[in-house]
Amino acid sequence: MQYINNIRQYGLLIVFGIICLIISLITPQFLTLSNLTIIVTQVSINALLAFGVTFVIITGGIDLSLGSIVAVTGVTSAMLAHPDSYPVLIPIVMGLLAGLLMGAFNGFIITKSKIAPFIVTLGTMTIGRGLALILSDGRPVSNLSDSFNYLGSGTVFGIPFLILIFILVFALCSIILSKTILGRHIYAIGGNEQAARASGINIDRVKLSVYSISGLLAGLAGILLASRITTGQPNAGAGFELDAIAAVVIGGTSTAGGRGTMTGTLIGVLLIGVINNGLDLLNVTSYYQQVVMGIIIIGAVIVDSLNQK
Amino acid sequence: MPESDQKIIHVKDLNKSFSGIKALDNIQFDLYPGEVHALMGENGAGKSTFMKILMGLMLPDSGSINFNGEFIENMDVHKMLKKGISMIHQEILMVPELTVAQNIFLGKEFKGSFWVDEHQIDQKSQELLNLIGLKVNAQTKAKQLSIAEMQLIEIAKAISNHAKVIIMDEPSSALSDKECELLFKIINDLKSKGVAIIYISHKLDEIFRIADRITVLRDGKYITTKNTSELNKNSLISLMVGREIESLFSSDSRVPSNAILEVRGISKKGKFENINFEVHAHEVLGIAGLMGAGRTEIARAIFGLDKIDSGEILLKGHKIEIRSPKDALKKGIAYVSEDRKALGFIPEMSIIENITLSTLKNYSKGGFIQTKKETKISSQMASDLKIKAVGLNQKVITLSGGNQQKTVIAKALLTSPALLILDEPTRGIDIGAKHEIYKLINQLANNGLAVIIISSELPEILGMSDRILVLSKGKQTAILNKQEASQEKIMHYAIH
């Protein structure tokens, strides 16, 4: 299994390399340290969501509530991040907790009701958006403490904090998926849920875990986004779930479940970032960028399905 | 033998390689109208590859195929279906939400009109079903059918295609004896209408009953073609495996010791009623019965896949409640399902990953899998059970049925069960692997394991079991000792 995945990833990596090469030939600004830093910073929010939802998609599920979780957790943490209120740890912990709870709620309903994840998370997507608007009374929450704002814009040894978190989360998720019992069980459930159950795997617990992880990482993304734009926006994150799912799919993870890797998702995320950045540098308007992105998503899946044969 | 110009299929010097490995090596084959021609060989002998080529699913590297007097090149499935070759697959593909009639006419709804004429489809299908003698309403949804019924409907489908040649790949593997009789009757009708049948089966009794000629393949090579009358079971087996097999079943005598499992009056509405039995350490208990008698349902309940309505289950003298398979495994009950594909393995995972799936905790620390330990234990298991594969990282979906089954058994054994339930352990498995699985079961029982075997093959039940529980329509009708049991006796109680 590992071997086959490797071949697929090399293919994706080659495509990625070629696209980078083409862009850097057309525009010399592309391959500069400052531009590359911008790309990675820009994709880091999407990356966190994509890493989380990779677990979900490998089990054969889907999570459409990510964007709304980003909004709820962003607003929650921003409301607690007023300069005169709590130490910075409180908004962070509460934001993460809000994300975790929303994810766990998804997992709980999905496992107990046996309703399709698509429907359940479609519901929580709407619920979440409403909650964010209720909490913030429909207005952006601003005037946040400096230490909170540091999360999204600060640097450590010259490296943006966002990028460090990005790398750390990738490493953690990658290890969970490839080295732990939980990871193995995630693949097993996506590969054949009935056989996984008959092998003694606690399906409900694994599913609860993946939706919780997905929610937790969306919470982290929500906090970082609020910090980066120094506001808790109740309308933030709309459509983010689709970008995340797009990255996962481009990365070769099967939406049918049972197959996929974190590295694939990482490349998917970077590919989207590089293309958007390249088109920006070439002064292509965002209208065209969307068309290009759509073509790439479909193209990636076609290439992947050809690879399968 | 008929004249050569009557041949409907004539295959000469057919070759096919996969990445350098010869899957088919100079295959010769011919088929006459109205003939049942059995294609025999162990799994991996090349039968499937050969049939795929005949069906146009795969192109040969070299060789010629003559169909009805015409050489065929660049064959594809549609062409072959049109020419009149149909295949009844081992795994049945029916759309569960469509009716029997809609399934039969799927893809060939009466053309010429945009609308599907449901009435006509129903009528034509019902005629077909009556023709083959299957008592099923054409408007029944496919999901309500038994596997046996689906299999027979597949044959009706082939007839509706006006097939001149029907390939039957293990058509009887899911059929009860009564349904087999129906199948053989249908085959005889087809023969008399001049339809030629290529018949693949691992059940030798069947072959000798219905085949006119037998072609044997071994390791991709053409061995021989003989009239059935020139062969007997032993000579056929030795042609297939290339060596003599003394007897499939060894006659170890065991003394059962303490009771491992006691089942007291368990019932599940509509499935089984008031079942009572015990299985002891050092003992193999066979469960026999026709399809639908409740055999698998009882096993599923003991393993925690389904809940029982009433009754008690005791394990080693203690009353237990089994809530899930996880629970059952923890308590020492392992189950190898009759449906390997659905419940047995994870197709995209490797042999190693499948073998260790139930026991990952044993090779992990703090949630992290210790790959070295995992690999070591699964290699040990794979070599004990003689799992044949390119490497242990090979995906289980790419293995032959026998090796898939061994992988599933290996997974079950690693849980160190006190009771092992094997449901149709040799279905769709070649004779060599069968032999090995029988040996393994005997060895396990001799070493003190309590084993339950569920099987539709009476020779298997008789050969393997120390005692036999017979079921009929969800009720238990007899428990027979090895000495008193016979095929006739089991059948007597099974149709009680």
Side-chain angles (χ1 to χ4, degrees), chain A residues 94-179:
Chain A
M94 295 309 283
L96 290 175
L97 198 64
L100 180 69
L101 282 176
M102 288 183 72
F105 178 78
N106 279 333
F108 182 77
I109 301 291
I110 287 164
T111 50
K112 293 300 163 204
S113 71
K114 311 288 174 209
I115 299 173
F118 184 90
I119 307 292
V120 173
T121 58
L122 188 66
T124 46
M125 172 172 110
T126 311
I127 295 172
R129 188 61 62 192
L131 281 179
L133 289 163
I134 293 169
L135 284 172
S136 63
D137 207 10
R139 286 189 293 267
V141 184
S142 49
N143 190 16
L144 314 180
S145 70
D146 288 345
S147 45
F148 184 78
N149 287 337
Y150 178 80
L151 294 171
S153 52
T155 59
V156 179
F157 303 121
I159 304 165
F161 198 63
L162 272 179
I163 295 183
L164 288 177
I165 290 186
F166 175 4
I167 294 168
L168 186 74
V169 170
F170 167 71
L172 268 175
C173 290
S174 193
I175 288 170
I176 290 175
L177 193 56
S178 60
K179 306 272 183 222

Side-chain angles (χ1 to χ4, degrees), chain A residues 1-4 8 175-176 178-202 205 257-259 308, chain B residues 300 303-306 323-326 329 335 340-350 352-353 356-358 360-361 364 367-369 374 393 395 411:
Chain A
M1 195 173 87
Q2 212 57 47
Y3 178 67
I4 301 288
R8 181 169 329 208
I175 288 170
I176 290 175
S178 60
K179 306 272 183 222
T180 67
I181 296 184
L182 177 64
R184 185 71 61 81
H185 286 180
I186 287 171
Y187 281 113
I189 289 175
N192 182 351
E193 184 166 330
Q194 286 308 310
R197 177 162 179 254
S199 300
I201 294 174
N202 188 334
R205 200 161 70 196
R259 192 164 58 76
Q308 282 286 296
Chain B
R300 286 178 60 97
F303 188 58
L305 278 163
D306 299 325
R323 290 177 220 93
S324 64
K326 186 183 165 78
L329 287 166
Y335 173 58
R340 272 199 294 281
K341 277 238 165 78
L343 286 173
F345 57 87
I346 316 287
E348 291 280 319
M349 280 188 160
S350 69
I352 295 183
E353 289 168 320
T356 57
L357 198 57
S358 293
L360 276 175
K361 275 211 172 105
S364 62
F368 287 86
I369 298 166
E374 187 195 14
N393 284 320
K395 283 188 189 179
K411 174 174 69 181

Side-chain angles (χ1 to χ4, degrees), chain B residues 95 153 322 329 337-338 386 436 438 473 488:
Chain B
V95 184
I153 286 167
I322 305 155
L329 287 166
S337 162
E338 57 163 348
K386 303 196 178 71
E436 281 167 15
Y438 291 147
K473 295 177 210 131
E488 292 72 28

Side-chain angles (χ1 to χ4, degrees), chain A:
Chain A
M1 195 173 87
Q2 212 57 47
Y3 178 67
I4 301 288
N5 277 337
N6 284 345
I7 291 178
R8 181 169 329 208
Q9 272 170 30
Y10 287 138
L12 188 62
L13 211 54
I14 290 166
V15 171
F16 180 63
I18 292 171
I19 288 178
C20 286
L21 189 72
I22 293 172
I23 298 174
S24 61
L25 286 177
I26 301 174
T27 141
Q29 299 117 287
F30 177 73
L31 260 187
T32 58
L33 186 60
S34 65
N35 187 51
L36 293 180
T37 312
I38 288 171
I39 294 175
V40 181
T41 317
Q42 274 172 349
V43 298
S44 57
I45 301 283
N46 186 29
L48 297 180
L49 301 177
F51 294 149
V53 82
T54 301
F55 293 113
V56 173
I57 293 178
I58 293 177
T59 64
I62 195 84
D63 190 346
L64 297 176
S65 65
L66 296 174
S68 295
I69 298 180
V70 165
V72 172
T73 54
V75 167
T76 307
S77 56
M79 289 171 72
L80 299 166
H82 193 273
D84 307 328
S85 54
Y86 307 100
V88 69
L89 205 59
I90 298 294
I92 294 174
V93 169
M94 295 309 283
L96 290 175
L97 198 64
L100 180 69
L101 282 176
M102 288 183 72
F105 178 78
N106 279 333
F108 182 77
I109 301 291
I110 287 164
T111 50
K112 293 300 163 204
S113 71
K114 311 288 174 209
I115 299 173
F118 184 90
I119 307 292
V120 173
T121 58
L122 188 66
T124 46
M125 172 172 110
T126 311
I127 295 172
R129 188 61 62 192
L131 281 179
L133 289 163
I134 293 169
L135 284 172
S136 63
D137 207 10
R139 286 189 293 267
V141 184
S142 49
N143 190 16
L144 314 180
S145 70
D146 288 345
S147 45
F148 184 78
N149 287 337
Y150 178 80
L151 294 171
S153 52
T155 59
V156 179
F157 303 121
I159 304 165
F161 198 63
L162 272 179
I163 295 183
L164 288 177
I165 290 186
F166 175 4
I167 294 168
L168 186 74
V169 170
F170 167 71
L172 268 175
C173 290
S174 193
I175 288 170
I176 290 175
L177 193 56
S178 60
K179 306 272 183 222
T180 67
I181 296 184
L182 177 64
R184 185 71 61 81
H185 286 180
I186 287 171
Y187 281 113
I189 289 175
N192 182 351
E193 184 166 330
Q194 286 308 310
R197 177 162 179 254
S199 300
I201 294 174
N202 188 334
I203 307 284
D204 287 2
R205 200 161 70 196
V206 175
K207 285 192 175 173
L208 192 64
S209 307
V210 295
Y211 287 96
S212 300
I213 294 174
S214 181
L216 181 71
L217 288 176
L220 181 60
I223 298 167
L224 293 171
L225 182 67
S227 161
R228 196 163 138 78
I229 59 177
T230 67
T231 336
Q233 279 278 10
N235 292 316
F240 277 22
E241 57 279 336
L242 299 181
D243 290 339
I245 294 166
V248 175
V249 170
I250 291 172
T253 294
S254 159
T255 49
R259 192 164 58 76
T261 60
M262 273 307 153
T263 317
T265 298
L266 174 70
I267 299 172
V269 165
L270 292 176
L271 192 65
I272 290 178
V274 163
I275 289 170
N276 277 333
N277 177 267
L279 295 173
D280 272 341
L281 292 177
L282 295 169
N283 287 323
V284 177
T285 65
S286 64
Y287 303 157
Y288 285 98
Q289 289 190 16
Q290 294 197 27
V291 175
V292 171
M293 200 50 66
I295 291 170
I296 286 170
I297 293 169
I298 296 172
V301 178
I302 291 174
V303 170
D304 192 49
S305 70
L306 293 179
N307 259 343
Q308 282 286 296
K309 294 167 189 166

Side-chain angles (χ1 to χ4, degrees), chain B residues 360-480:
Chain B
L360 276 175
K361 275 211 172 105
N362 300 347
Y363 343 104
S364 62
K365 235 183 195 164
F368 287 86
I369 298 166
Q370 296 168 299
T371 318
K372 263 190 196 157
K373 209 166 166 187
E374 187 195 14
T375 309
K376 197 178 142 201
I377 286 175
S378 29
S379 332
Q380 183 61 49
M381 211 64 201
S383 81
D384 285 355
L385 266 62
K386 303 196 178 71
I387 296 175
K388 291 183 201 87
V390 180
L392 292 182
N393 284 320
Q394 193 177 340
K395 283 188 189 179
V396 172
I397 187 73
T398 62
L399 297 176
S400 69
N403 286 310
Q404 286 176 345
Q405 184 71 329
K406 286 180 187 171
T407 305
V408 179
I409 294 177
K411 174 174 69 181
L413 288 180
L414 270 185
T415 64
S416 326
L419 170 70
L420 177 63
I421 308 172
L422 299 162
D423 197 349
E424 302 285 0
T426 63
R427 176 179 287 175
I429 284 181
D430 66 66
I431 203 142
K434 230 175 190 175
H435 191 56
E436 281 167 15
I437 286 176
Y438 291 147
K439 253 168 59 186
L440 176 75
I441 294 170
N442 271 321
Q443 192 188 330
L444 291 167
N446 292 346
N447 289 341
L449 193 66
V451 180
I452 295 178
I453 291 187
I454 300 171
S455 176
S456 301
E457 290 183 42
L458 289 181
E460 181 168 293
I461 286 279
L462 283 165
M464 294 305 300
S465 316
D466 297 309
R467 287 184 305 137
I468 298 161
L469 168 71
V470 189
L471 301 173
S472 170
K473 295 177 210 131
K475 289 191 183 126
Q476 117 181 41
T477 47
I479 293 185
L480 305 168

Side-chain angles (χ1 to χ4, degrees), chain B residues 137-162:
Chain B
N137 189 317
Q139 289 169 18
T140 316
K141 282 198 172 172
K143 64 177 175 187
Q144 290 163 350
L145 300 172
S146 70
I147 294 180
E149 286 165 339
M150 289 196 202
Q151 205 118 35
L152 295 171
I153 286 167
E154 287 287 311
I155 295 173
K157 213 170 153 179
I159 297 173
S160 82
N161 284 343
H162 307 291

